[in-house]
Amino acid sequence: MATEMALVKPISKFSTSSPIFSNSRYGKFTTVRMSSTSQSTTKAAAKGGKKAAKTAIKETLLAPRFYTTDFDEMEALFNTEINKNLNQSEFEALLQEFKTDYNQTHFVRNKEFKEAADKIDGPLRQIFVEFLERSCTAEFSGFLLYKELGRRLKKTNPVVAEIFSLMSRDEARHAGFLNKGLSDFNLALDLGFLTKARKYTFFKPKFIFYATYLSEKIGYWRYITIYRHLKENPEYQCYPIFKYFENWCQDENRHGDFFSALLKAQPQFLNDWKAKLWSRFFCLSVYVTMYLNDCQRTAFYEGIGLNTKEFDMHVIIETNRTTARIFPAVLDVENPEFKRRLDKMVEINEQLLAVGETSDIPLVKNLKRIPLIAALASELLAAYLMPPIESGSVDFAEFEPQLVY
């Protein structure tokens, strides 16, 4: 899935047959230390202490998370004897797209990576480390989910299963490339540790479809927007990973197209009033998560020459227009009131963060948080209740692989 570029990386009833998926419950948050190993500490110290400091990364509502789902229900949804809406010819066309593997030889590093990392100093260096960490974690969560879906659906629907397996290939490639990027900063995420130590959030299959579709498409628009910006403004090209974003974003786009086909094969997720409510809910969740996350990290976007809020609104608007092709209802994100509410949420979130940094005892902190959380919930509800845009269709032309830019 996408990265910090895909902030609400999707998503995976608990699989008792796989040790990967632990018995965690939706809504619990824990503090998890992402194990990092220093590579050539002495060399880093000799260069003026450029080795980035490692701290515990808190698992919060805004952090990339790992997911689990009801795999038995998934098997029923893709059983061709049960679900007569499955368009196997479309899935077979998609499978050929994935088998082609356009990016098989794309993610090849060169000495430019390490040289660029060595030139990044001060606060911007730690910001890049955090970007790589979060992006790697998000991609790796997609790999785990897709890999398990590919395994579980192999007998029920081999074509769909193979597509999931090939998507897990893409996600693993992305995660590995990002982790190699961390090595440029003398660090590395222990992905095996993450697999065992991280708690897993449970989402029903239909929620996976909504959230993962959005995640992949918003990842596409983030990647391509950054790529185009840096192509036009090469003076901000401070690290070569961004040069790979043009091809990389097409992986995200293909993944999103596959989830669009999955949604079309489950019209009950698109054609009633509940579908409209859930569609708007997931749009709001993904957009708000990205906006709040990015506004906490404006230094990163400023470091590559972007205005954070302008960048985010462009990505939200384009993602919303794309999503309107399949979701039965979307938010009116081009209404100025929507951005005003997002900015108000940013202000409230900053106050919440400030409370957490005080020296008050936990009880006092929690009391101070109550009115702020209520205010944030009020803004979220107000944004959700804005008049939506009726959209979507389950009547599509036959599948034709194509770029969207």
Side-chain angles (χ1 to χ4, degrees):
M1 301 177 182
T3 95
E4 203 67 324
M5 308 267 127
L7 288 171
V8 178
K9 269 302 193 187
I11 310 165
S12 137
K13 197 163 183 191
F14 308 117
S15 171
T16 57
S17 62
S18 172
I20 288 178
F21 296 97
S22 60
N23 208 19
S24 61
R25 279 295 175 185
Y26 178 76
K28 275 193 176 180
F29 306 106
T30 59
T31 299
V32 178
R33 182 174 295 277
M34 294 183 177
S35 174
S36 298
T37 56
S38 173
Q39 301 173 349
S40 64
T41 304
T42 304
K43 181 179 178 182
K47 289 188 176 185
K50 283 186 178 179
K51 179 178 177 294
K54 295 299 297 174
T55 59
I57 297 177
K58 292 183 179 180
E59 191 171 341
T60 70
L61 280 170
L62 298 183
R65 289 175 286 165
F66 291 177
Y67 300 87
T68 186
T69 192
D70 186 334
F71 292 102
D72 293 333
E73 183 182 343
M74 277 287 192
E75 289 181 45
L77 290 173
F78 294 107
N79 188 317
T80 54
E81 295 180 2
I82 297 173
N83 186 354
K84 303 302 181 182
N85 293 307
L86 292 170
N87 186 344
Q88 287 298 110
S89 62
E90 181 173 4
F91 290 133
E92 287 167 3
L94 282 161
L95 176 58
Q96 292 309 310
E97 275 286 287
F98 282 99
K99 281 183 173 180
T100 302
D101 195 7
Y102 299 102
N103 289 333
Q104 184 177 12
T105 60
H106 178 60
F107 296 96
V108 179
R109 288 164 49 84
N110 53 48
K111 65 178 183 178
E112 186 182 356
F113 281 79
K114 182 61 177 173
E115 292 173 353
D118 287 341
K119 294 177 183 177
I120 302 175
D121 286 304
L124 187 60
R125 186 175 179 85
Q126 181 56 34
I127 289 166
F128 261 85
V129 167
E130 184 180 353
F131 159 70
L132 291 168
E133 282 179 338
R134 292 175 63 86
S135 300
C136 182
T137 304
E139 297 287 350
F140 189 64
S141 77
F143 158 73
L144 291 176
L145 173 61
Y146 296 157
K147 180 182 179 182
E148 185 68 1
L149 284 166
R151 187 183 73 84
R152 290 294 297 264
L153 296 173
K154 191 172 293 185
K155 293 181 179 179
T156 304
N157 194 318
V159 173
V160 170
E162 188 171 0
I163 294 174
F164 274 120
S165 295
L166 293 174
M167 288 204 303
S168 75
R169 171 205 66 195
D170 295 344
E171 301 294 297
R173 186 179 287 157
H174 299 167
F177 194 65
L178 289 158
N179 209 9
K180 285 287 184 67
L182 279 168
S183 71
D184 298 326
F185 296 84
N186 306 306
L187 298 164
L189 280 181
D190 185 342
L191 299 177
F193 172 82
L194 280 183
T195 302
K196 297 173 183 177
R198 212 97 193 256
K199 296 293 178 109
Y200 288 74
T201 299
F202 173 74
F203 266 27
K204 294 179 67 174
K206 70 176 180 179
F207 299 155
I208 286 179
F209 296 158
Y210 295 137
T212 310
Y213 172 84
L214 278 165
S215 173
E216 299 291 0
K217 288 301 184 181
I218 206 167
Y220 167 82
W221 282 109
R222 288 173 66 88
Y223 282 129
I224 197 60
T225 301
I226 290 175
Y227 174 82
R228 289 169 175 169
H229 161 73
L230 293 176
K231 188 175 182 179
E232 293 177 2
N233 302 277
E235 67 273 19
Y236 290 106
Q237 187 75 260
C238 54
Y239 187 63
I241 199 169
F242 303 117
K243 296 178 181 179
Y244 292 74
F245 277 11
E246 183 179 32
N247 287 43
W248 192 332
C249 75
Q250 293 306 323
D251 283 344
E252 309 297 328
N253 194 40
R254 278 186 287 273
H255 295 183
D257 288 344
F258 173 56
F259 274 95
S260 176
L262 296 184
L263 281 165
K264 287 189 289 179
Q266 311 295 336
Q268 70 275 20
F269 298 160
L270 296 173
N271 62 8
D272 62 13
W273 63 271
K274 289 183 291 185
K276 292 182 178 182
L277 295 178
W278 282 119
S279 294
R280 290 159 55 200
F281 172 81
F282 279 99
C283 283
L284 183 64
S285 299
V286 170
Y287 301 161
V288 169
T289 299
M290 183 186 75
Y291 203 81
L292 295 186
N293 255 321
D294 288 356
C295 286
Q296 289 180 32
R297 297 167 179 83
T298 55
F300 171 79
Y301 297 96
E302 291 170 358
I304 58 175
L306 285 168
N307 178 294
T308 306
K309 291 184 176 181
E310 290 179 3
F311 165 71
D312 273 17
M313 285 309 302
H314 169 75
V315 170
I316 287 171
I317 288 170
E318 294 297 341
T319 302
N320 204 60
R321 290 173 178 173
T322 302
T323 301
R325 300 172 189 169
I326 181 70
F327 279 22
V330 294
L331 303 173
D332 186 6
V333 300
E334 297 180 60
N335 184 332
E337 181 65 20
F338 183 77
K339 184 177 184 303
R340 283 196 292 271
R341 295 203 175 278
L342 285 179
D343 289 336
K344 184 62 178 178
M345 290 181 218
V346 170
E347 293 176 16
I348 298 169
N349 191 51
E350 289 173 349
Q351 294 174 56
L352 281 167
L353 292 172
V355 169
E357 293 171 359
T358 66
S359 57
D360 295 332
I361 62 173
L363 176 62
V364 173
K365 287 184 179 182
N366 288 335
L367 289 173
K368 288 182 178 180
R369 288 186 178 115
I370 291 173
L372 294 173
I373 292 173
L376 185 59
S378 176
E379 291 297 331
L380 283 166
L381 181 61
Y384 181 75
L385 293 177
M386 288 176 60
I389 296 174
E390 299 289 323
S391 61
S393 173
V394 292
D395 300 320
F396 289 84
E398 290 188 10
F399 173 74
E400 290 185 18
Q402 59 182 357
L403 302 182
V404 300
Y405 71 95

